[in-house]
Amino acid sequence: MNFEGASENIIAGRNPVTEALKSGAELDTIYINGSGGSLNIIRRIAREKGVVVKDANDKKLSQLSGGASHQGVVAVGACGKYVTPEEILNISAQKGTKPFIIICDEIEDPHNLGAIIRTAETAGADGIIIPKRRSASLNATVYKTSAGAASYVPVARVANLAACIDMLKENGVWIYGTDASGEDYCKTDLTGSIALVIGSEGFGISRLIREKCDFMMKLPMAGKITSLNASVAAGIFMYEAVRQRRIQPK
């Protein structure tokens, strides 16, 4: 069943959701109202499969299912297939280029995530990494906002973003955070193997992820407004990396 004609697949009902989980269907999020019996079984299987489960009230479930009988559970299918961070690293290895990765730290607005994916595709980034919790995901809004770029840019969704960053470092990738306390972005060398961390609009980069960054860089602010939309800032940082890589002596 499609929700409001979107490409986002909606599966409603206990048995359909259970079977979708068992079949290995690419599910984005499962919304549940209540506990006990088969709902607990769904929670358990979802946990084993690494699918995000969120508690929701009956109104939310009815809204998602378009009024169809949901029996306390609705699953939302992903609009794209997630990859692993290792697969993103393999992309640059296959191209013979240095890794160029975008990490979105708690970007919860799907419009921002979609816009970041769109810019990443045009900038030639190898892929995007997002956390499973407190983040927008590959839903219909993200897909639409990306103008289809979500079909081309590999997106990895990880349970532990800090551990993922450690893995990237072990593979020679330098982590660049974006924050007002950093160095001017034009003076920062972005020609190597890099992962750019874009924080949420409200809180920026989280403390733990900030501590994992090798470098911090900032955009100069000349007006009275002291911050930019996350996707706009991400675009500026990405294209500075593109500029530097193009003029780098070969």
Side-chain angles (χ1 to χ4, degrees):
M1 177 189 300
N2 285 334
F3 176 52
E4 294 183 352
S7 59
E8 193 174 29
N9 293 322
I10 300 297
I11 303 169
R14 301 187 183 194
N15 286 336
V17 170
T18 301
E19 292 307 315
L21 278 169
K22 289 180 177 179
S23 72
E26 197 72 29
L27 299 180
D28 184 78
T29 307
I30 295 177
Y31 295 89
I32 295 179
N33 180 17
S35 60
S38 56
L39 291 180
N40 283 351
I41 293 173
I42 289 171
R43 289 180 187 271
R44 177 181 57 77
I45 300 174
R47 185 169 58 249
E48 293 170 354
K49 299 279 188 178
V51 178
V52 174
V53 175
K54 294 183 179 179
D55 290 314
N57 58 31
D58 186 74
K59 182 180 178 181
K60 172 72 173 180
L61 297 182
S62 295
Q63 198 175 48
L64 284 171
S65 65
S69 175
H70 53 70
Q71 300 173 306
V73 59
V74 172
V76 180
C79 287
K81 183 175 177 60
Y82 293 107
V83 302
T84 66
E86 289 80 7
E87 287 176 301
I88 292 177
L89 282 174
N90 285 338
I91 290 171
S92 57
Q94 291 170 2
K95 292 191 301 185
T97 57
K98 296 173 182 176
F100 180 17
I101 300 168
I102 313 302
I103 298 174
C104 294
D105 181 26
E106 299 185 9
I107 300 290
E108 298 188 77
D109 185 340
H111 296 90
N112 272 337
L113 181 58
I116 290 170
I117 291 173
R118 182 175 183 173
T119 303
E121 198 280 329
T122 61
D126 298 317
I128 306 256
I129 298 175
I130 62 174
K132 283 189 175 181
R133 302 289 178 180
R134 295 185 296 278
S135 173
S137 52
L138 289 181
N139 60 29
T141 302
V142 168
Y143 191 89
K144 182 177 180 180
T145 308
S146 77
S151 296
Y152 302 104
V153 179
V155 177
R157 196 183 191 200
V158 299
N160 189 325
L161 194 55
C164 177
I165 287 176
D166 287 338
M167 183 277 291
L168 293 176
K169 288 185 174 186
E170 290 169 3
N171 283 272
V173 178
W174 296 92
I175 312 300
Y176 289 77
T178 53
D179 185 79
S181 64
E183 180 184 51
D184 189 311
Y185 78 117
C186 289
K187 299 177 181 177
T188 306
D189 184 358
L190 299 172
T191 58
S193 299
I194 65 171
L196 303 179
V197 183
I198 308 300
S200 68
E201 284 187 19
F203 304 100
I205 299 174
S206 58
R207 180 190 58 79
L208 178 58
I209 302 305
R210 181 191 300 271
E211 292 172 354
K212 295 285 183 182
C213 293
D214 298 303
F215 306 97
M216 299 297 293
M217 57 182 179
K218 67 179 179 181
L219 296 171
M221 296 289 160
K224 291 182 172 56
I225 305 300
T226 59
S227 65
L228 288 173
N229 173 279
S231 63
V232 172
I236 296 172
F237 288 122
M238 278 189 254
Y239 268 93
E240 175 60 18
V242 171
R243 184 190 71 82
Q244 291 186 20
R245 286 163 177 249
R246 285 192 170 186
I247 64 175
Q248 183 185 25
K250 295 182 179 179

